[in-house]
Amino acid sequence: MKRVLSGIQPTGDLHIGNYLGAIHNWVGYQDTHDCLFCIVDLHAITVLYDPETLGENVEFVAAAYIGAGIDPKKAAIFVQSHPRTHSELHWLLACHTPMGWLNRMTQFKEKAGKKKDQASLGLYAYPVLMAADILIYQADEVPVGEDQKQHLELARDIAQSMNQRYGETLFKLPEPMIQGPAPRVMSLRDGTAKMSKSDPSAYSRILLRDSADEIAQKIRKAKTDPHPLPETVADLEGRPEAKNLLTLYGAMTNQKLEEAMKIFAGQNFSALKEALTEACVQKLGPISSEINKLLQDDRAYLRTVLKDGGEKARTISEKNLEKTYHQLGFKV
Ligand code: ADP
Ligand code: TRP
C-alpha cells in the first residue's frame, strides 16, 4: 500500500484554502493508502508564537481533521513533535542542503519580508524540516496546496542528492499531489493574493468555524469587478476575483468550474455571492459543529487519537532514522 503524508501548522483557525487545498483531498486516500496526517507544531514555532495557545491550537487542528472527514480508525493523526525523530533527521538533511537551494524559497522571502536578518534560523530551515517530515516515513505521495510545490521539489532534490551519495535505497522520492477543485484559493479582498491565515484582514478568508452570518458578511464584502460574469474559462483572464468566486462555488458544490460558469453566465456578482454563501454554509456547517462538539465534549478522545497516531509515527520513523544513520556511516 502506498503511503501518504501531509500536515498543517497549528497557527490558528483553519480557512477554506486549507480545507480545499489540503484536508478535503486527504479524505479520499483513507481507504486506499496508508495515511499519516501530521499537525506540524515544530513548524509553528518558526515565527513568534504564543506558548499559552500552542497546545490548544494542536487540539483544534486534530478536531478539524476529524470534523472534515479524516477517520482516525483509518488514518494516523499525530503531532510532529511527539516522535522526536523529525528534528533529528532534519539535522542530517540540513548538513546535505546547500544554502543556495534555501535562498530560492519564496515562502521564506515572503515571511521574512524586509527583516531578513531578524528571521530565525528555524524559519530559514523550515523546508528542510518539512523534507524530514516526509522522507522519514518514506512517503510516496504528499497532497498539499499549490503554495507548497517549491518545498516539495526541494524535498525531492535533497532526497535525490543524498541517494546519489549514499545509495538509492536511502530515501523514496515523494510525489507532490497538487489536485482537487481549488489548489490555490485566493483572498476575498484581492483575487491576486493567496488566502492565508496571516493576512491582516479577517474579511480575506472564510474560516471553517465561521457562523452562517459571518460567511454571508464576508462573501457580501468580497471584492468584485464591474462586469457581468463570463461564459468561458478563457474570459476569466484578467478577472481574478470572478475566477476565485466561481472556482469556490464549483468546489463547494462538487462541480467543475465550467459547469459553475454555465449557471451564472451573464448574471452579475450578487447572484453568485448568494449561491456561494448558501453552498459554504451547507458544506461548512456540519464540519464546524463536529469540530465544536469534539472540542467541547471529547477532549479525552482527541488525546487518545493523537497518542495512538504518535505511537504509529514513532515506530515507523525510528526504524527509518536508524537506517539513515547507518547508511550515512554512523556505526553505533
Ligand atoms: P497557511 O498557508 O494558511 O498558513 P499552512 O501553511 O499550515 O496554512 O498550510 C496547510 C495546507 O493548506 C498546505 O497544504 C497548503 O498548501 C494549504 N493551503 C494553505 N493556503 C491555501 C490556499 N489559499 N489555497 C489552497 N491551499 C492552501
Ligand atoms: N509547510 C506546509 C505548509 O505550510 C506544512 C507542512 C509541514 C507539510 N510539513 C509537511 C505539508 C509535510 C506536507 C508534508 O503548508
Side-chain angles (χ1 to χ4, degrees):
M1 214 187 240
K2 285 196 170 170
R3 179 168 292 149
V4 163
L5 179 130
S6 197
I8 293 183
Q9 302 183 65
T11 42
D13 262 308
L14 299 186
H15 52 74
I16 55 172
N18 301 130
Y19 174 64
L20 295 172
I23 315 174
H24 168 271
N25 303 325
W26 303 353
V27 174
Y29 285 102
Q30 298 182 97
D31 291 315
T32 49
H33 290 67
D34 177 20
C35 291
L36 293 155
F37 298 122
C38 187
I39 301 162
V40 293
D41 55 348
L42 296 170
H43 278 111
I45 69 162
T46 54
V47 291
L48 200 65
Y49 76 102
D50 178 4
E52 297 289 327
T53 54
L54 183 64
E56 178 61 25
N57 286 342
V58 166
E59 287 184 7
F60 164 69
V61 176
Y65 285 1
I66 299 170
I70 304 296
D71 178 353
K73 287 198 205 75
K74 297 179 180 168
I77 298 177
F78 73 103
V79 185
Q80 183 189 30
S81 65
H82 285 183
R84 306 293 193 199
T85 46
H86 296 220
S87 308
E88 226 175 304
L89 180 64
H90 158 264
W91 180 254
L92 301 181
L93 303 186
C95 294
H96 293 82
T97 308
M99 290 186 26
W101 291 1
L102 290 178
N103 289 339
R104 291 203 296 265
M105 297 293 115
T106 53
Q107 187 172 298
F108 175 76
K109 289 179 201 162
E110 279 160 22
K111 288 201 177 175
K114 291 200 182 82
K115 299 182 177 158
K116 221 168 117 193
D117 287 349
Q118 285 163 41
S120 68
L121 175 58
L123 186 66
Y124 187 62
Y126 179 114
V128 184
L129 179 61
M130 178 166 162
D133 297 339
I134 299 166
L135 302 180
I136 204 162
Y137 297 100
Q138 304 282 14
D140 296 281
E141 295 175 10
V142 184
V144 283
E146 213 212 31
D147 60 327
Q148 294 303 311
K149 191 162 177 244
Q150 195 183 36
H151 288 162
L152 278 164
E153 280 162 6
L154 181 87
R156 284 175 65 92
D157 286 345
I158 297 173
Q160 211 154 17
S161 79
M162 290 182 73
N163 284 0
Q164 259 166 24
R165 180 155 172 205
Y166 300 104
E168 292 302 320
T169 57
L170 187 62
F171 295 127
K172 221 172 223 178
L173 294 193
E175 225 30 82
M177 307 302 284
I178 296 161
Q179 65 214 146
R184 188 173 177 82
V185 175
M186 309 310 279
S187 156
L188 297 182
R189 307 298 299 159
D190 173 1
T192 62
K194 192 190 78 155
M195 183 177 284
S196 155
K197 287 178 204 152
S198 53
D199 191 312
S201 167
Y203 281 99
S204 68
R205 56 188 167 264
I206 295 172
L207 303 176
L208 294 189
R209 282 197 294 180
D210 275 343
S211 66
D213 281 350
E214 286 165 324
I215 294 174
Q217 211 175 27
K218 289 176 179 179
I219 295 179
R220 205 174 316 121
K221 278 184 183 277
K223 190 174 171 200
T224 57
D225 64 44
H227 308 290
L229 292 161
E231 229 174 290
T232 65
V233 176
D235 290 333
L236 286 173
E237 185 69 33
R239 299 187 62 188
E241 285 80 20
K243 184 172 178 196
N244 191 37
L245 294 176
L246 285 163
T247 302
L248 280 176
Y249 181 78
M252 289 291 175
T253 56
N254 304 321
Q255 298 181 79
K256 289 210 163 71
L257 175 60
E258 289 80 355
E259 288 166 343
M261 291 191 71
K262 270 191 210 132
I263 304 173
F264 299 104
Q267 301 196 50
N268 56 29
F269 276 87
S270 61
L272 170 60
K273 283 186 166 185
E274 208 172 298
L276 178 59
T277 301
E278 178 65 29
C280 287
V281 171
Q282 289 273 334
K283 190 74 150 194
L284 303 181
I287 298 177
S288 90
S289 31
E290 181 63 18
I291 296 175
N292 290 334
K293 188 175 135 292
L294 287 164
L295 292 175
Q296 270 157 30
D297 311 327
D298 277 332
R299 291 277 176 166
Y301 167 68
L302 285 179
R303 285 171 197 153
T304 310
V305 165
L306 294 176
K307 188 166 167 284
D308 292 350
E311 271 162 26
K312 175 172 174 180
R314 189 173 297 122
T315 307
I316 303 170
S317 62
E318 279 177 353
K319 191 163 149 260
N320 286 336
L321 181 65
E322 211 50 49
K323 180 180 142 261
T324 307
Y325 269 121
H326 194 78
Q327 269 184 264
L328 263 59
F330 293 79
K331 308 276 188 258
V332 273

